[in-house]
Amino acid sequence: MQSPPRRAKRIPCAALAVMLLAAALAAGGTRSTFLPPQNPGSPQQLKSMTLEQLGNIQVVTYNKTPSRLLKTPAALYVITSEDILRSGATSIADALRLAPGVEVGRMDSDTWAVGIRGLQNNFSKSVLVLIDGRNVYTPLFAGVYWDVLDLPLEDIDRIEVIRGPGGTIWGPNAGNGVINIITRKASDTQGVSGSALAGTEDHTIDDLQFGSRISKQLTYRFFGRGFQRAHEYHTDRINEDAWHQERVGFRADYAAGRDEFMLKGQAYRGDSPRIVGTAPLDDKVSGGDINMRWERTMKSGAGFYVQAYFDRTLRTNPAFLGESRNTIDFDFLHHFSLSAHQQFSYGGGLRWSPYLTISALPSDGFVPAGGTDHVHTAFVQDEIRIADNFSLTVGTKVQHNNFSGFDLQPSARVLWSPSDRQSLWGGVTRAVTTPSDLEENFHLQGGGPQVFVQVLGNKHFKSEDVIGYEAGYRIQGSKRFYVDLSTFWNEYSRLQSFSAPAISTSDGSTFITITYENQIAGHTNGFEFAPTIAIEPWWRVNMSYSYVSSDFDAHGPTSDISSSGSVNTYQNSSPKHEVVLQSRVDLPCRFQFDQMYRYVSALPAQKVKAYQTADLRLARPLGRDLLLEVVGQNLFQDHHNEWGTGDPNQPPVGIYRAAYIKLSFHRDPKSH
């Protein structure tokens, strides 16, 4: 008598699987991701959280100590592990599209232009990116190598994004915001897990990981990862941006009483091809890092942490320019209560970065070819609770670097909480972007035999400056919706530009010389609106709308010789409007059906038209240990442009429609 009901249950589930799979494949979809069995504190827990619980997430990026998101006086947004894994993203840069106010444009297969609230550029300047507290920016161009920021996305606990200047606590180069990528503790990744992905653009992404414990206090994990990705769409048929990379790493965590210790490291190698004009260049990349942290929690909420890391980066190219760099960084923070209403913090950081650049041509490169970059910082911050529902936070950071000397970066913020479910905040902060080796030591010469064009660094280049004015409102309206609204006005001065060409003669040759300058100033203003709605317990929608208006002018003659450094590029290289809609649906028979829609307005300076596109993801567990996912990306058109190439005379690269399928495995000894 039990057979008919069981059989009847199988038939609708099978029909649902066929219909959803057919719909996804018809749209061009294929991809996957695995959520391991639930462990305390694991990302799986976020999936079952109500929106009320999500509003109470403890974040650390605002002041480096845990605080409640709803009570944070900054434009801070949390991308949870569930958001990432159900978006179908296969890279950290693409996952950042989920945060309001973050502009992500894929330039080609292995290069992204990332900005926050304007000033988007191919170097990702003025955006400080951290992985578990490790600063990943390079002083070579004060930016980020996004192609080597890779790790298993399943190991990311959350990404905390601060939009706006992060001047007091973080630095250097948090002028427009901070992106803090926080990975899961080893205790949350126990057992054996692995995944294999096959697709049209991501040809393969393969992960294998093992986690275990030596004692109750000491846990660890090891992982290996590799991928191979195809080229994107090139109108000039120079399809040379296919790339691959391999990576191994580990993490160990030890917790005993008041103390927590973390030790993690990784090593990688691969290639990172790019095209300059019509010349394909194949960069070989390799490197690794070791990161150590000690945290202690003391009585009355006081505590401190000490963190140190070593980072090794090597990029070689026999036909162009290479870099070898070692970075040693030390960071310290101590916080304690001066009274029942006053929380005081102080700390500092030391960063040394010896480097050597290797140039294939004596006329191109850096002068001198090597040296040691350094940044030393110290800060103080005082949070004063004036009333039960009103607080004032003031502080300042003093920073010294080998390029421009000392910079002072003060900040003041207020927070008013009329109820436990809502908060209003405002702030004003000064932050700087320090000069880089590119702006001070660069030397490029072309032309001849009698006329030469030179682009030279400027030994007197100054720090770029921003003063940000912000305000925001958060409300936890009910168990079904959460709203985050923020607005801003950023005043910029001394932005990077280029001088007008200077003509000189020597030994019968004519030299046209252009140097780096600080001649551009202006402002950006706008707002971000990010509601999250639980329409039903099985259907959640995350939405965001971001608006940015830019107005810049030059205080001297400038030469537009690249994709940066002119009034036009500052004003017209960031989208004025961005819309993101992520819908997550839990269907019967344990199916997950997720959709993401994006609209990005035009970038006239990059010759990029407005575009809209969508991704689809269909997933279902197969038993207790397996998960199958099918994902389609960029489904509205065969290809679309997202950003320029870095050369205004070179056509943008199209980003293809893509599809992939992924099978993931996880076996936790506790669940068997």
Side-chain angles (χ1 to χ4, degrees), residues 644-667:
T645 60
D647 182 349
N649 298 315
Q650 188 176 343
V653 174
I655 307 304
Y656 274 123
R657 175 190 291 136
Y660 58 91
I661 187 168
K662 182 178 178 183
L663 182 65
S664 302
F665 167 84
H666 181 91
R667 178 176 286 266

Side-chain angles (χ1 to χ4, degrees), residues 243-279:
W243 61 309
H244 70 90
Q245 202 170 108
E246 297 80 41
R247 183 177 304 259
V248 294
F250 73 93
R251 172 167 175 158
D253 291 280
Y254 180 81
R258 300 177 300 168
D259 297 311
E260 291 189 15
F261 298 88
M262 179 200 75
L263 175 65
K264 61 176 297 189
Q266 62 174 339
Y268 64 88
R269 69 176 184 179
D271 63 353
S272 187
R274 53 201 170 96
I275 301 169
V276 178
T278 58

Side-chain angles (χ1 to χ4, degrees), residues 216-448:
K216 183 178 180 180
Q217 296 84 14
L218 179 59
T219 56
Y220 65 90
R221 68 168 174 260
F222 292 95
F223 76 87
R225 175 177 171 88
F227 68 82
Q228 184 178 37
R229 184 175 173 88
H231 64 81
E232 298 292 356
Y233 175 78
H234 298 259
T235 57
D236 54 13
R237 305 297 182 186
I238 306 177
N239 301 325
E240 299 293 337
D241 54 331
W243 61 309
H244 70 90
Q245 202 170 108
E246 297 80 41
R247 183 177 304 259
V248 294
F250 73 93
R251 172 167 175 158
D253 291 280
Y254 180 81
R258 300 177 300 168
D259 297 311
E260 291 189 15
F261 298 88
M262 179 200 75
L263 175 65
K264 61 176 297 189
Q266 62 174 339
Y268 64 88
R269 69 176 184 179
D271 63 353
S272 187
R274 53 201 170 96
I275 301 169
V276 178
T278 58
L281 303 173
D282 189 8
D283 284 1
K284 302 297 182 183
V285 299
S286 62
D289 61 83
I290 293 287
N291 191 359
M292 299 170 286
R293 184 169 66 229
W294 171 30
E295 297 181 71
R296 169 168 287 187
T297 302
M298 295 178 284
K299 294 180 179 179
S300 304
F304 69 82
Y305 83 78
V306 179
Q307 178 161 312
Y309 67 82
F310 170 79
D311 184 284
R312 167 69 173 170
T313 300
L314 178 64
R315 303 180 78 94
T316 59
N317 191 309
F320 191 57
L321 184 68
E323 176 195 14
S324 171
R325 182 178 295 273
N326 298 320
T327 300
I328 301 170
D329 191 284
F330 176 84
D331 195 25
F332 168 78
L333 177 140
H334 182 206
H335 63 92
F336 56 91
S337 298
L338 289 176
S339 69
H341 304 284
Q342 197 170 2
Q343 185 78 14
F344 188 80
S345 303
Y346 70 93
L350 306 174
R351 179 183 175 98
W352 298 273
S353 188
Y355 71 96
L356 176 66
T357 59
I358 308 160
S359 179
L361 301 174
S363 59
D364 302 341
F366 291 79
V367 180
T372 300
D373 297 323
H374 64 78
V375 178
H376 303 155
T377 62
F379 74 87
V380 293
Q381 181 169 284
D382 196 4
E383 181 180 345
I384 307 167
R385 198 172 73 223
I386 299 173
D388 288 342
N389 61 355
F390 186 83
S391 63
L392 168 68
T393 304
V394 293
T396 190
K397 178 173 67 182
V398 180
Q399 176 177 291
H400 181 272
N401 67 84
N402 57 291
F403 299 109
S404 57
F406 284 97
D407 285 299
L408 189 65
Q409 301 176 67
S411 177
R413 294 181 178 271
V414 295
L415 175 70
W416 177 46
S417 302
S419 73
D420 194 52
R421 289 177 171 269
Q422 57 183 324
S423 60
L424 294 95
W425 60 270
V428 56
T429 304
R430 179 182 186 264
V432 302
T433 298
T434 61
S436 66
D437 296 302
L438 179 70
E439 290 147 339
E440 289 215 352
N441 304 323
F442 189 58
H443 182 277
L444 174 66
Q445 181 172 301

Side-chain angles (χ1 to χ4, degrees), residues 545 575 577-581 597-602 610-613:
Y545 169 68
H577 307 278
E578 278 192 289
V579 178
V580 177
L581 175 64
Y597 167 84
R598 287 186 289 126
Y599 168 81
V600 181
S601 60
Y611 74 89
Q612 54 183 328
T613 190

